[in-house]
Amino acid sequence: MEDKEINQDIFIRRAEEYVKAVQKISDSNFDAVILQGQSAMKSVLLINAGAVVAVLAFYSGNADLLFLTDSRVIGLYKTLIYALLCWAIGVGTATVAYGATYLSQYCGAKTFNQGLAEFKNAVWFNENAYIGPSEWGIRWQWAAVALVIIGYICFFVGIGVAYFAFERFLTV
């Protein structure tokens, strides 16, 4: 009977060491992915916010043009509003992506902690166990990715609209 208890204790310790090793590897991979995602969100936020600031600086630097009744100037300002809107939406999507990332991490950690308790119980009773990914965590993760992509799209659409506005202003 003692041999069985000793073997079970050794098995449990080895299982706990295995879980710790897997957790350490998972944590390092997770940290790398998080850093890359944060870099993408920061770049989307920076380029869109920079474009918004540039257009607002253009508006304030050329405020005297607002009082002209030239249809070209009015057309330029009206069209640039759409570019400004695109870039503002890009800033908003980057900001919401930060929140989606937090929710993804929260759901993943909650699911892992629940799964870890179930895994220890399964090891104790010599059953197979698996700690699966968080369904909601994955959904929030994909939402964050989609928001970052939408932010990039908004930036490039805004560039296209601004280019169209200036081209139309300069060629007429």
Side-chain angles (χ1 to χ4, degrees):
M1 177 126 174
E2 287 182 22
D3 288 338
K4 187 176 182 182
E5 288 179 13
I6 291 173
N7 286 340
Q8 201 168 25
D9 287 341
I10 292 171
F11 180 75
I12 290 172
R13 271 190 254 123
R14 286 182 181 167
E16 287 176 349
E17 289 173 10
Y18 173 77
V19 168
K20 288 178 185 176
V22 168
Q23 179 64 35
K24 188 175 183 179
I25 292 169
S26 177
D27 286 348
S28 65
N29 288 339
F30 184 71
D31 289 343
V33 169
I34 292 300
L35 288 174
Q36 290 172 349
Q38 285 177 341
S39 295
M41 287 185 286
K42 286 177 185 176
S43 69
V44 166
L45 186 64
L46 184 65
I47 62 174
N48 281 299
V52 167
V53 169
V55 169
L56 291 176
F58 174 77
Y59 278 168
S60 66
N62 297 305
D64 55 338
L65 292 177
L66 285 173
F67 299 107
L68 296 177
T69 57
D70 186 5
S71 63
R72 292 181 333 168
V73 173
I74 294 171
L76 173 66
Y77 274 67
K78 282 184 178 180
T79 308
L80 282 179
I81 290 292
Y82 294 113
L84 185 65
L85 179 64
C86 287
W87 294 322
I89 291 171
V91 169
T93 60
T95 305
V96 174
Y98 276 105
T101 301
Y102 170 77
L103 291 172
S104 172
Q105 290 175 352
Y106 173 77
C107 292
K110 186 176 177 184
T111 300
F112 182 80
N113 290 336
Q114 290 171 348
L116 191 58
E118 293 172 10
F119 183 82
K120 286 181 181 178
N121 289 336
V123 168
W124 179 258
F125 295 109
N126 292 328
E127 298 172 355
N128 290 332
Y130 172 70
I131 301 175
S134 165
E135 186 177 321
W136 278 101
I138 291 173
R139 288 178 184 171
W140 282 114
Q141 187 177 26
W142 281 109
V145 169
L147 287 166
V148 169
I149 291 170
I150 290 169
Y152 279 118
I153 291 169
C154 287
F155 176 71
F156 290 114
V157 168
I159 286 176
V161 170
Y163 174 79
F164 173 73
F166 282 110
E167 182 183 36
R168 200 172 75 189
F169 175 72
L170 295 174
T171 57
V172 176

